[in-house]
Amino acid sequence: MTQAADFLVELGTEELPPKALTTLAQAFHDQLVSRVKDAELEFSDSEWFATPRRLAVRINDLQLQQKDKQVERLGPAVAAAFDGDGNPKPAATGFAKSCGVEVEQLQRIATDKGERLAFNATVNGEPCEKLLPNMISEALGKLPIPKAMRWGNSSAEFIRPPHWLLMLLGGSVIDAEILELKSSNKTYGHRFHAPAAITVTAPEDYEELLREAKVDVSFQSRKANIRQQVEAIAQEKNAIAVIEEDLLEEVAALVEWPVALSGKFDEEFLQVPSEALIATMQKDQKYFHLLDSKGKLLPYFITIANIESSQTLSVISGNERVIRPRLADAKFFYDTDCKSKLADSVEKLKSIVFQNKLGTIYDKTQRVKTVASWIADHLNCSRDDAERAAELCKCDLVTNMVYEFPELQGIMGRYYATNDGESSEVASAMDEVYKPRFAGDSLPDTQTGLALALADRIDTLVGIFGIGQAPTGAKDPFALRRAALGVLRILVEKELTLNLDQLLDASLQSFDSIQLQSDTKEQIQQFFEARLHAWYQDQGYTPQVITAVTSMGLSQPLDINLRIKAVAEFNKMEASEALSAANKRVGNILSKSEHTEFGTVDTRLLQQKEEVDLHNQLSAISTQVEQKVNTGDYSEALKLLAGLRDTIDAFFDKVMVNVDDEAVKLNRLALLNQLRDLFLSIADVSLLQK
């Protein structure tokens, strides 16, 4: 039985960047485990640990030594390896040297290409304790560190200065030096509660020893502990704790021994929009906030300390003193901003550059105003509201609050517009212009918001593509992929029957004073098609189903969506494969014909029962199919066409299309063309072939 033992490596450091902690820990684990696997060392499982002051990996039941391997190498042909007197040529001596033996020690084996020199040997496996130090050095060198640091007179580099290195295999220390640190079996507990060195005698004792020293080395355990403590405090206050995942991750990366404490702030600050107060608490202090049962912000916060203090009230009081001036600043910003109207800031937008070649933010809002007005007409909503919203939608950029908290752009615009007495449609649109902000985000609820969100994104797409700055595989500084997906989501999920080509034309016309590339529209159309393919594939649709519809050159996303869903249903039918093949065959026959116009079917030239049957069935369902297509009921239209399967199969089994009689041949081509046109009124199902 192969011997095995648990292995533990821990690198202690200065405080690591909290937002990068889990990425670093996961990468360290993955890089190390990958090298262990490459060395063909077996193990049962592995896990990573991370705190602000350490990265660690434990590999359980690690095979202590590589298995011996039989090495077999083929060399040159014997005829080319020796001269006429049997003396070795360079080919033979070179091969022998590469194998570490003399020519006389090589073997000769027969192959299908003649006799060749060969080398066979057993290579003894290396002990893992000899391999692990280099593996760890390589793994640490491959961590995603944007900018490494140097410290003191050291030539070593790492994301933060390292302080200790623990490397334990079973109960033995692996002798190594990494990052100029000598390995040992020592670790360190909490900086304040247990600063002395701790001896780890076995990898399986690691977590418990550190827990006794007030360090929870499991990142997931700390997250769960923080969540539990925060929710417990919220329950005591009969409140709801808002625990955003990003904040929870960051706080868990800031502490080794989390202790949740609750503080209070003055209720006067609740006059400030809650989003501003929450941004202050989260961004500056890493606090969790509380809501009442109606979703209203309460004057409490929960902070996570990294110490068990005997002076809890002092710690809470200190946090309350710190948060007060932060909230006072937010109140000052809000009160100051409310003293002037959004409309008063329109002129200020003329001094803010959107993009050098595309002008200022003011220029952009004027273009957005034109397109939003066009969209409003097509949505049968207020053109006046759309134009007013477009004029004001970027004005909160120059407010004090948004300058301090850029993430509140749009949100504060809504508050300020409401304060100014703007209509509810216009005020809501201030925020909705940015929706969806991220994948899965909600969409605008108002018609004005929909018009503005579409116009703003289309303007950015047309402008940036028009000046030749389309996104590359790695770079998308203007978030054009997100903008395009936002347009598609709005048009499809809000069931807007807008034509994307017409929308692009409306935007292109608004760039009347800016010279754009001549192929701007074509580039954006291709870009949208690529985004559409990716979007539907993410939803589980096959590339064949998507292409069957997008190959039709359609430009109304809502219509494309209905067709894709219908074709996906059709593709699950038993008849779909045969009908797909039949459509491909029909397409090939028609494309090879010297005729381009096929006319209508002359029933007098129908000779065989199978072609009569096909004509009769097509005649019976054509009107129904057309009606279904006209109302967007593509699923029912395809079900009607699926009923033709047996008749189509019988036609191709019995009927010769390209007969000598030219009139009969052309008539049969007309019949097939009618069949093909009915399918093409929905999608090119010939592309569904497996």
Side-chain angles (χ1 to χ4, degrees):
M1 183 177 177
T2 304
Q3 288 187 317
D6 294 343
F7 169 68
L8 174 68
V9 57
E10 179 194 64
L11 179 67
T13 69
E14 296 278 357
E15 270 71 7
L16 295 162
K19 292 185 178 180
L21 183 64
T22 56
T23 301
L24 291 169
Q26 185 70 59
F28 183 30
H29 168 274
D30 293 349
Q31 291 285 345
L32 180 55
V33 167
S34 174
R35 283 161 175 74
V36 169
K37 290 179 179 178
D38 289 344
E40 299 181 0
L41 291 168
E42 297 178 354
F43 59 93
S44 60
D45 55 35
S46 61
E47 56 189 320
W48 59 266
F49 305 93
T51 77
R53 301 171 61 220
R54 73 200 74 222
L55 299 173
V57 176
R58 184 169 62 202
I59 302 176
N60 297 322
D61 302 313
L62 178 63
Q63 183 181 321
L64 293 180
Q65 177 140 352
Q66 291 175 313
K67 294 177 182 177
D68 296 341
K69 288 197 298 185
Q70 193 70 26
V71 176
E72 298 181 358
R73 292 181 60 192
L74 279 179
V78 171
F82 299 94
D83 61 20
D85 297 327
N87 297 314
K89 291 182 178 180
T93 55
F95 177 63
K97 185 177 180 181
S98 71
C99 296
V101 297
E102 299 297 326
V103 173
E104 294 75 19
Q105 295 175 274
L106 297 173
Q107 298 174 322
R108 300 187 182 196
I109 62 172
T111 71
D112 55 359
K113 294 184 179 180
E115 193 175 27
R116 296 179 65 176
L117 292 180
F119 172 72
N120 292 313
T122 300
V123 177
N124 295 325
E126 295 276 7
C128 74
E129 63 182 290
K130 183 177 179 181
L131 300 170
L132 283 167
N134 189 51
M135 291 179 180
I136 291 167
S137 292
E138 290 180 351
L140 290 171
K142 290 291 185 180
L143 297 190
I145 299 173
K147 190 174 183 180
M149 295 177 61
R150 287 188 178 182
W151 49 93
N153 297 321
S154 173
S155 60
E157 293 184 344
F158 197 58
I159 190 167
R160 292 291 185 271
H163 291 305
W164 72 86
L165 175 66
L166 181 151
M167 288 177 61
L168 201 59
L169 183 62
S172 303
V173 174
I174 293 181
D175 186 30
E177 185 172 313
I178 298 172
L179 293 175
E180 300 182 1
L181 293 173
K182 185 71 175 173
S183 60
S184 72
N185 60 354
K186 306 292 184 185
T187 186
Y188 293 84
H190 195 283
R191 188 185 295 277
F192 303 111
H193 288 304
I198 301 166
T199 300
V200 182
T201 57
E204 59 265 27
D205 298 336
Y206 176 63
E207 293 144 287
E208 187 55 37
L209 284 171
L210 281 174
R211 184 171 288 278
E212 291 172 1
K214 302 296 184 184
V215 174
D216 184 352
V217 291
S218 168
F219 186 82
Q220 298 304 327
S221 172
R222 290 201 307 281
K223 273 183 62 177
N225 187 7
I226 292 169
R227 184 186 295 276
Q228 184 177 14
Q229 291 188 57
V230 169
E231 289 177 345
I233 290 175
Q235 189 172 7
E236 289 175 5
K237 296 184 177 300
N238 195 28
I240 300 167
V242 179
I243 305 176
E244 294 183 4
E245 192 65 20
D246 287 347
L247 180 60
L248 179 59
E249 290 260 343
E250 187 175 0
V251 171
L254 285 166
V255 297
E256 291 192 316
W257 193 252
V259 178
L261 302 170
S262 173
K264 192 175 189 302
F265 59 84
D266 295 341
E267 292 191 20
E268 65 173 298
F269 293 122
L270 293 177
Q271 299 170 18
V272 179
S274 59
E275 291 90 345
L277 301 180
I278 292 167
T280 300
M281 288 188 280
Q282 291 183 345
K283 179 181 176 181
D284 296 328
Q285 303 304 125
K286 316 304 175 190
Y287 292 165
F288 297 95
H289 61 280
L290 300 176
L291 306 177
D292 65 16
S293 59
K294 296 180 180 179
K296 184 180 178 181
L297 182 67
L298 293 170
Y300 300 104
F301 63 85
I302 298 174
T303 183
I304 306 300
N306 189 30
I307 191 171
E308 286 183 353
S309 175
S310 59
Q311 304 293 324
T312 302
L313 293 178
S314 295
V315 176
I316 293 172
S317 177
N319 278 274
E320 290 176 342
R321 285 197 303 272
V322 169
I323 193 62
R324 180 176 176 81
R326 302 281 189 183
L327 298 179
D329 286 346
K331 187 174 187 304
F332 173 78
F333 295 148
Y334 180 65
D335 291 343
T336 302
D337 289 339
C338 285
K339 290 177 182 177
S340 59
K341 294 181 179 293
L342 276 180
D344 296 338
S345 298
V346 170
E347 284 296 310
K348 295 178 183 178
L349 300 181
K350 294 180 179 180
S351 62
I352 304 175
V353 175
F354 168 59
Q355 203 284 336
N356 283 335
K357 296 181 180 180
L358 298 176
T360 65
I361 295 291
Y362 175 82
D363 297 327
K364 178 177 174 62
T365 60
Q366 295 308 298
R367 295 192 299 268
V368 169
K369 178 180 176 181
T370 299
V371 179
S373 177
W374 180 89
I375 296 172
D377 286 344
H378 285 71
L379 297 182
N380 293 319
C381 63
S382 171
R383 174 187 283 199
D384 290 342
D385 280 346
E387 292 180 349
R388 179 63 171 172
E391 288 177 347
L392 301 179
C393 69
K394 305 296 180 182
C395 287
D396 67 347
L397 284 173
V398 297
T399 62
N400 292 285
M401 189 71 84
V402 174
Y403 181 81
E404 184 70 18
F405 300 104
E407 66 272 24
L408 296 182
Q409 182 180 352
I411 295 170
M412 295 312 302
R414 170 165 50 84
Y415 280 105
Y416 295 142
T418 301
N419 185 68
D420 293 347
E422 300 288 347
S423 72
S424 60
E425 282 271 325
V426 171
S428 295
M430 298 298 96
D431 184 15
E432 292 177 339
V433 64
Y434 298 105
K435 292 185 176 184
R437 287 181 168 87
F438 50 84
D441 190 21
S442 61
L443 301 179
D445 289 320
T446 68
Q447 295 291 88
T448 303
L450 290 171
L452 205 59
L454 288 171
D456 188 42
R457 285 166 173 79
I458 288 294
D459 177 81
T460 301
L461 285 160
V462 170
I464 301 302
F465 268 94
I467 60 172
Q469 293 193 21
T472 62
K475 295 182 179 180
D476 186 9
F478 287 90
L480 299 186
R481 292 184 180 89
R482 188 170 64 198
L485 184 56
V487 170
L488 291 173
R489 279 195 61 199
I490 290 171
L491 293 177
V492 171
E493 295 177 27
K494 287 296 182 177
E495 299 184 354
L496 305 182
T497 57
L498 287 173
N499 186 297
L500 194 54
D501 282 356
Q502 294 175 2
L503 188 54
L504 290 173
D505 288 337
S507 181
L508 284 163
Q509 290 171 15
S510 70
F511 285 84
D512 52 358
S513 61
I514 298 174
Q515 184 65 42
L516 302 180
Q517 294 183 353
S518 59
D519 63 343
T520 297
K521 182 178 179 181
E522 290 72 21
Q523 284 191 59
I524 299 174
Q525 287 171 324
Q526 293 171 10
F527 186 70
F528 266 111
E529 185 171 340
R531 301 278 66 72
L532 189 143
H533 272 258
W535 186 36
Y536 281 109
Q537 283 188 255
D538 286 345
Q539 295 178 55
Y541 293 97
T542 66
Q544 292 89 343
V545 166
I546 301 167
T547 305
V549 175
T550 57
S551 65
M552 304 292 293
L554 304 169
S555 58
Q556 190 184 98
L558 177 60
D559 186 53
I560 292 171
N561 181 67
L562 295 173
R563 291 172 189 259
I564 285 177
K565 289 183 176 180
V567 173
E569 289 180 24
F570 170 77
N571 202 33
K572 296 174 184 177
M573 296 181 185
E574 184 182 348
S576 67
E577 191 165 356
L579 288 169
S580 175
N583 270 270
K584 188 172 185 66
R585 186 172 180 181
V586 170
N588 289 336
I589 292 171
L590 294 174
S591 65
K592 292 176 182 178
S593 171
E594 66 274 19
H595 299 281
T596 56
E597 298 291 335
F598 300 100
T600 58
V601 176
D602 186 346
T603 56
R604 295 171 299 176
L605 295 175
L606 298 174
Q607 298 176 347
Q608 294 181 229
K609 176 181 181 299
E610 291 76 15
E611 61 181 325
V612 172
D613 289 344
L614 180 57
H615 175 264
N616 289 340
Q617 283 204 35
L618 283 175
S619 300
I621 68 168
S622 290
T623 301
Q624 296 178 64
V625 170
E626 289 170 4
Q627 289 174 345
K628 298 295 183 184
V629 168
N630 290 337
T631 58
D633 193 352
Y634 302 114
S635 292
E636 288 301 316
L638 283 170
K639 287 178 183 178
L640 288 168
L641 290 170
L644 297 173
R645 175 190 174 178
D646 292 340
T647 306
I648 294 171
D649 288 345
F651 177 89
F652 282 117
D653 284 343
K654 301 293 184 180
V655 179
M656 174 71 70
V657 177
N658 293 316
V659 292
D660 293 335
D661 189 321
E662 186 67 19
V664 173
K665 180 177 74 172
L666 187 57
N667 200 55
R668 288 173 179 173
L669 288 172
L671 181 61
L672 292 180
N673 188 58
Q674 182 184 354
L675 171 66
R676 176 96 168 128
D677 283 348
L678 275 179
F679 275 98
L680 285 176
S681 66
I682 305 164
D684 187 353
V685 298
S686 69
L687 299 175
L688 296 176
Q689 282 195 291
K690 308 289 189 295

